Amino acid sequence: MSDTINELADSEKDLFRSKIESFFSEQNTQTDQSQDGIGDADTTSLDKAKSFQMDLSQAGLAGITFPEEYGGAGLSDTHQEIFNEVSASWHMPTSPLSISHGMCLPMLNQFGTHEQKLRFMPDNISGKTIWCQLFSEPGAGSDVASLSTRAVLDGDQWVINGQKVWTSGAHYCDYGLVVARTDPSLPKHRGLTMFIVDMSDPAVEIRPLKQISGGSGFNEVFFTDLHIPKNFQLGELNQGWNLAISMLMFERVSIGASAGGLNTDRSPDLIRLAQDSGQANDPIIRQKLTDLWIKEKIKGFIGQRIRDAVSAGQVPGPEGSIAKLNGALIARLARDTSISLVKAEAQAWDAENENGEQWTNACLGAAGISIAGGTDEVQRNIIGERVLGLPKEPDPFKGAAWEDVPRS
Ligand SMILES: Cc1cc2nc3c(=O)[nH]c(=O)nc-3n(C[C@H](O)[C@H](O)[C@H](O)COP(=O)(O)OP(=O)(O)OC[C@H]3O[C@@H](n4cnc5c(N)ncnc54)[C@H](O)[C@@H]3O)c2cc1C
């Protein structure tokens, strides 16, 4: 369903707004200051995320624009905008679901068959199942199209072998979307296919990686003769690159231009912190906070522009890279502003300050936003080539079969 913000009657907008407000007041999430990094959720925050999402779903406020038939609320983009506006001043404990909802759900909706949507979307929307994204490999990060994980058809099953890395949340996810090579004789972008995998299958081994923050948000994932049904293929055979690009765009939009989760505006918290700590009249602090507030507002407009384009039927294009790069730069600005405010407590906080750790986590996590979903350098390349029309990077193996390209 698509409409502009003015097409919904004011009374209907007000009604919807107050429904969301009363939902959040009842949940009382405003006092919850915790911010998990991508995939970095303990059992408590995972349970909190799942039960919050279930409540949201039962209130008819989850999967707002997705069809009711597939577990969504079947509402308009205007409803989504209103939800984003109202929820911005609350803390939604849903970061552990950000990949599941920001990337996997729109992919299922866009490329799934009717049966796949019926089977997988309702549980994804309600938070009953959580999904992860398995693209990166030890030898394929920025150049993800060169990946080596293989999928071979054996009767009516696909057999997958290979290794993924940096898979956020794999250790608590039920399903994943994996890209694998189905035809090595084609050039690297053309022999890939996307699949749905059941992460609880014994042929999937998940090994957590330890981070500087002490958390374990990422994993190595090994597939050893993983058999999946033929109908777990998502989209067309050997068209996985097109799906991967769409998913990366959803990821970039999700990181750079969505509302909530990792992309929650930090300025309201930091303004509150400045007030509570008696620093709100310091001219340098005020200038930093104003700068951050303005940039977060602009980020919101970029997001709205992209969401409007998507609701008008356009696939997010290179502007997703602008949103992603901008979101990463703002995350670093928020980190620097928070360090100016909390000073040494960004590294060593008072044991009695139960929210102390959040600043350290936010500071340590900010750099990762410049890498996840394609690094800042890669976004700059895309903007340079596809927005500004600069010459493309030379590729001596352009058009060569993937199996003929030397790799380490
Ligand atoms: C927080 C976080 C969450 C993540 N979650 C997931 C996930 O859930 N699923 C998943 O599949 N992956 C995930 N990743 C992995 C992420 O997609 C990759 O780390 C990223 O694409 C970069 O790949 P790489 O680490 O292999 O670095 P490389 O590709 O090896 O890059 C190394 C350096 O070289 C630069 N570089 C590379 N190519 C170029 C170029 N052409 N021009 C200019 N500079 C270049 C890069 O900018 C970088 O600085 C996550 C990463 C992070 C940080």
Side-chain angles (χ1 to χ4, degrees), residues 38 99 132-138 140-143 164-169 218 251 367-369 371-378 381 393:
I38 307 177
I99 291 177
C132 58
Q133 172 222 27
L134 302 115
F135 281 21
S136 307
E137 298 184 1
S142 298
D143 183 18
K164 297 290 175 179
V165 72
W166 311 124
T167 313
S168 305
F218 310 109
E251 179 170 26
I369 300 176
I371 302 173
T375 64
D376 287 359
E377 290 77 18
V378 165
N381 282 351
E393 270 192 279

Side-chain angles (χ1 to χ4, degrees), residues 46-339:
L46 202 55
D47 288 347
K48 214 190 285 178
K50 286 184 128 181
S51 93
F52 178 88
Q53 188 63 28
M54 188 58 81
D55 290 346
L56 207 55
S57 173
Q58 282 163 358
L61 295 172
I64 289 180
T65 56
F66 293 101
E68 283 179 275
E69 185 183 16
Y70 304 132
L75 297 172
S76 67
D77 301 307
T78 305
H79 290 93
Q80 184 69 60
E81 291 296 339
I82 295 171
F83 182 87
N84 293 350
E85 257 172 58
V86 177
S87 61
S89 46
W90 296 85
H91 287 276
M92 294 209 287
T94 46
S95 336
L97 310 177
S98 57
I99 291 177
S100 193
H101 286 159
M103 292 173 238
C104 301
L105 179 59
M107 288 299 289
L108 288 170
N109 186 53
Q110 189 168 335
F111 296 101
T113 59
H114 175 61
E115 288 70 29
Q116 286 171 337
K117 292 183 196 187
L118 275 182
R119 175 166 174 184
F120 295 117
M121 283 179 61
D123 284 351
N124 175 309
I125 288 174
S126 68
K128 196 168 165 198
T129 58
I130 311 184
W131 291 58
C132 58
Q133 172 222 27
L134 302 115
F135 281 21
S136 307
E137 298 184 1
S142 298
D143 183 18
V144 72
S146 66
L147 61 84
S148 309
T149 294
R150 287 281 279 124
V152 177
L153 195 58
D154 179 13
D156 58 358
Q157 294 198 311
W158 283 101
V159 185
I160 301 184
N161 279 287
Q163 184 199 341
K164 297 290 175 179
V165 72
W166 311 124
T167 313
S168 305
H171 51 304
Y172 59 70
C173 283
D174 305 280
Y175 292 99
L177 290 180
V178 61
V179 186
R181 189 158 304 280
T182 35
D183 190 344
S185 70
L186 293 174
K188 65 179 179 182
H189 294 101
R190 302 222 315 258
L192 300 167
T193 306
M194 191 173 282
F195 299 97
I196 296 166
V197 294
D198 178 349
M199 298 299 287
S200 67
D201 192 297
V204 181
E205 188 192 346
I206 300 164
R207 295 189 200 159
L209 294 162
K210 201 80 176 159
Q211 291 156 228
I212 191 173
S213 62
S216 285
F218 310 109
N219 303 270
E220 292 179 297
V221 178
F222 297 83
F223 302 113
T224 311
D225 288 336
L226 169 68
H227 286 66
I228 57 168
K230 207 171 162 185
N231 62 8
F232 272 30
Q233 177 184 316
L234 188 67
E236 301 289 314
L237 181 66
N238 292 328
Q239 293 301 311
W241 183 245
N242 294 338
L243 272 75
I245 287 292
S246 293
M247 194 161 177
L248 285 170
M249 282 307 163
F250 285 127
E251 179 170 26
R252 287 165 193 166
V253 171
S254 170
I255 293 176
S258 69
L262 258 191
N263 210 39
T264 303
D265 284 353
R266 301 298 284 166
S267 52
D269 274 354
L270 293 176
I271 290 170
R272 233 184 335 264
L273 180 68
Q275 286 162 343
D276 293 350
S277 60
Q279 300 178 77
N281 290 326
D282 179 324
I284 294 180
I285 293 287
R286 289 175 77 85
Q287 192 170 337
K288 285 186 175 174
L289 287 170
T290 310
D291 189 29
L292 179 64
W293 186 87
I294 291 170
K295 288 187 169 137
E296 287 187 333
K297 281 281 163 236
I298 294 171
K299 181 183 72 172
F301 294 138
I302 294 175
Q304 186 164 343
R305 190 172 168 180
I306 293 175
R307 286 192 297 274
D308 285 351
V310 170
S311 65
Q314 294 167 24
V315 174
E319 61 272 28
S321 293
I322 297 175
K324 204 275 149 163
L325 179 61
N326 185 49
L329 298 178
I330 289 175
R332 285 196 246 167
L333 184 64
R335 173 199 61 193
D336 296 346
T337 310
S338 68
I339 291 178

